[in-house]
Amino acid sequence: MAESAAAQRRGAILVAASAAAFGALPIFARMAYDEGVDLYGVLVPRFVIGAAVLGLVALWRGAAFPRGRPLAAVAAMGAVGYTGQSFLYFTALKHADASLVALLLYSYPFLVALLAAAFLRERLDGARVVALLLASGGLALTIGGRHCSALGVALGLEVGEHPIPVR
């Protein structure tokens, strides 16, 4: 039982550290851009350091390296999915405030509901429509008046910098 409580505490600390790091990420990226660092100067060190840390953790745990189809899937998720998403996210930070890009995350419920209605034939009843309109109105009021470009908003809507748990 004590081992379980310690594991839960450790997990909570790791989640808090991850949230703090991801929350600070756009601020540090913006500072780097203001100092003249380009997009690749921000992304390459991030991925190199991340790969080194993950490699050390995998070695420490004795994890087996994937082979065949699982390796191809993991490589595609990283090389195409996460790298592409990061590229769009950091490009959005060049064209809009970091706070705006972060706030655009809250448009996802609206977008998901519309896509589910369009492609999965889910019904948008009156209560859902009202909730989506209120949430979107609040988002518009929060975002309104910020310095940004249409490109920054479009790129910010495309992606959100959040870790996706893979099991």
Side-chain angles (χ1 to χ4, degrees):
M1 198 69 141
E3 192 174 323
S4 176
Q8 286 182 344
R9 271 194 305 277
R10 186 177 69 223
I13 289 168
L14 290 172
V15 167
S18 176
F22 272 92
L25 186 65
I27 296 166
F28 289 128
R30 194 71 202 176
M31 289 169 55
Y33 289 148
D34 291 344
E35 292 296 321
V37 178
D38 68 352
L39 179 64
Y40 298 108
V42 172
L43 286 179
V44 169
R46 179 175 186 241
F47 283 120
V48 168
I49 293 168
V53 169
L54 286 176
L56 290 173
V57 169
L59 282 174
W60 180 63
R61 288 185 167 187
F65 197 78
R67 298 179 191 279
R69 197 171 209 168
L71 175 60
V74 169
M77 280 189 340
V80 177
Y82 196 72
T83 302
Q85 180 264 345
S86 294
F87 183 83
L88 292 173
Y89 178 75
F90 281 93
T91 304
L93 290 172
K94 290 178 80 170
H95 298 281
D97 292 336
S99 59
L100 171 66
V101 175
L103 283 171
L104 289 172
L105 169 69
Y106 297 101
S107 65
Y108 287 1
F110 182 81
L111 296 173
V112 168
L114 290 180
L115 291 172
F119 294 105
L120 301 177
R121 309 254 191 261
E122 287 197 17
R123 190 168 167 266
L124 289 178
D125 58 13
R128 287 183 183 165
V129 170
V130 169
L132 289 171
L133 290 174
L134 287 173
S136 299
L139 181 63
L141 289 173
T142 304
I143 292 173
R146 294 181 182 268
H147 168 71
C148 65
S149 68
L151 178 60
V153 172
L155 290 168
L157 285 172
E158 286 295 319
V159 294
E161 181 70 21
H162 302 282
I164 300 171
V166 177
R167 294 189 185 252

